[in-house]
Amino acid sequence: MESPESCDMTGDADMYGVGIRLGLYAQSLNTLLVTLFMREDEGQNQIVNLLLQLAIFAGTLRNTETGDVRAFDVVIVFWLLVGALSSLTGDGFGGAGSFSGTCRLLFYAALSAYGCWFWFTGLDGMPCQVPQIVFFGGSMLNGWFRTFGKAISILGLAVTTGMLFWNGAVHATKGSGRSRRSQPRRPQTEIILMILSIAMIVLSITSTEYVIRANHLTEVDEINKVGQVLAFLVGLFQLLDTLVKVFFKNRLLTPRCWLLFGRHLT
């Protein structure tokens, strides 16, 4: 194992610089608001979000192939992308049967497959083999969290693969089914899933920032690259556009069905 002094703790601003982080945080919050109040915009919103997520994941894959990625870089990317799952509603994984939803499932299947490789064998061959904090309480990379990472990656791969096969079977036997299915008179929201979505956003933000601070990573708190500016502005304007529609176009007070464990409360 390398000594701490021999490991370069300069963060990767191209993958998780502050501009990219803020852009993704804004997108995660925007995704939740769109799912709750503007379901008609969900497909377009998912595509825009997916482009930034793909860029970050592609950069991670490239750095992995060249041997330039460190284990804590990958863990930070994982934490950043957790918040993008914040579209759980009363209808489940929002838009899973649509084109954008299918692309999203494919993306998370690929991310889960990478996670399986990383947690089982990949991180052992990465540079900077020093003690690395990856979760609250000073949890180290090779402690209980590694076992958790293996389990969650396997579960994620199984769930996304299952949903892809399920969607394919449904479309093959019944088509899209939209013409046969009446639209609900009011949008519905499962309270437990909404709380879970909010918790995932909070976990994503706090864990990302904690890992960066706990490992004393440098050069990731200034917006000094075009890619960071672009990610920040995209996330910011997406969120502002949604907030204007929600608060100034009467979306906030739209009647809806509130559910608790599938039972209607209103």
Side-chain angles (χ1 to χ4, degrees):
M1 178 175 290
E2 301 175 35
S3 65
E5 292 77 13
S6 66
C7 182
D8 181 11
M9 301 305 285
T10 302
D12 192 332
D14 291 324
M15 288 203 299
Y16 50 85
V18 66
I20 292 173
R21 301 200 312 271
L22 290 176
L24 280 172
Y25 299 160
Q27 282 191 339
S28 296
L29 180 57
N30 180 68
T31 295
L32 179 62
L33 293 175
V34 167
T35 305
L36 287 172
F37 301 109
M38 298 188 302
R39 293 297 299 274
E40 69 277 7
D41 293 342
E42 191 172 28
Q44 179 181 355
N45 178 74
Q46 286 183 349
I47 289 296
V48 175
N49 291 359
L50 192 59
L51 290 175
L52 180 55
Q53 295 159 24
L54 277 172
I56 295 173
F57 185 46
T60 303
L61 291 177
R62 179 184 178 280
N63 289 346
T64 301
E65 194 272 333
T66 59
D68 295 326
V69 72
R70 297 153 299 185
F72 57 75
D73 293 327
V74 177
V75 173
I76 291 172
V77 168
F78 283 153
W79 281 127
L80 275 174
L81 298 180
V82 164
L85 286 170
S86 54
S87 62
L88 297 171
T89 67
D91 298 321
F93 197 108
S98 64
F99 172 75
S100 60
T102 300
C103 291
R104 196 174 182 213
L105 284 174
L106 288 169
F107 170 74
Y108 277 102
L111 184 65
S112 297
Y114 178 83
C116 288
W117 170 83
F118 172 77
W119 291 114
F120 279 93
T121 61
L123 66 85
D124 295 321
M126 290 184 173
C128 202
Q129 292 291 321
V130 300
Q132 300 172 39
I133 298 174
V134 293
F135 194 58
F136 296 105
S139 300
M140 294 295 179
L141 186 64
N142 282 303
W144 68 269
F145 196 84
R146 183 171 186 174
T147 302
F148 173 77
K150 293 176 182 179
I152 205 69
S153 296
I154 293 173
L155 179 62
L157 185 59
V159 170
T160 52
T161 302
M163 292 182 71
L164 285 167
F165 276 108
W166 173 261
N167 287 338
V170 169
H171 281 271
T173 56
K174 297 182 180 180
S176 65
R178 291 183 179 178
S179 60
R180 304 179 189 179
R181 188 170 59 215
S182 60
Q183 295 296 325
R185 300 173 69 179
R186 292 189 295 172
Q188 63 180 24
T189 300
E190 169 61 61
I191 295 175
I192 298 300
L193 292 179
M194 183 183 70
I195 293 174
L196 178 60
S197 296
I198 295 172
M200 292 171 72
I201 295 175
V202 174
L203 178 65
S204 171
I205 295 173
T206 56
S207 297
T208 298
E209 297 301 321
Y210 175 80
V211 173
I212 290 173
R213 302 294 178 267
N215 290 288
H216 307 290
L217 303 184
T218 61
E219 299 185 16
V220 290
D221 288 328
E222 294 181 0
I223 303 179
N224 52 13
K225 294 189 177 182
V226 174
Q228 290 198 59
V229 174
L230 179 61
F232 172 69
L233 290 179
V234 168
L236 176 63
F237 279 96
Q238 273 188 287
L239 180 58
L240 289 176
D241 180 61
T242 299
L243 289 173
V244 167
K245 293 178 181 178
V246 169
F247 287 102
F248 295 101
K249 295 188 177 181
N250 298 321
R251 296 301 185 96
L252 187 63
L253 301 178
T254 300
R256 68 177 54 246
C257 295
W258 292 96
L259 290 77
L260 183 63
F261 297 109
R263 300 184 63 178
H264 284 266
L265 300 180
T266 59

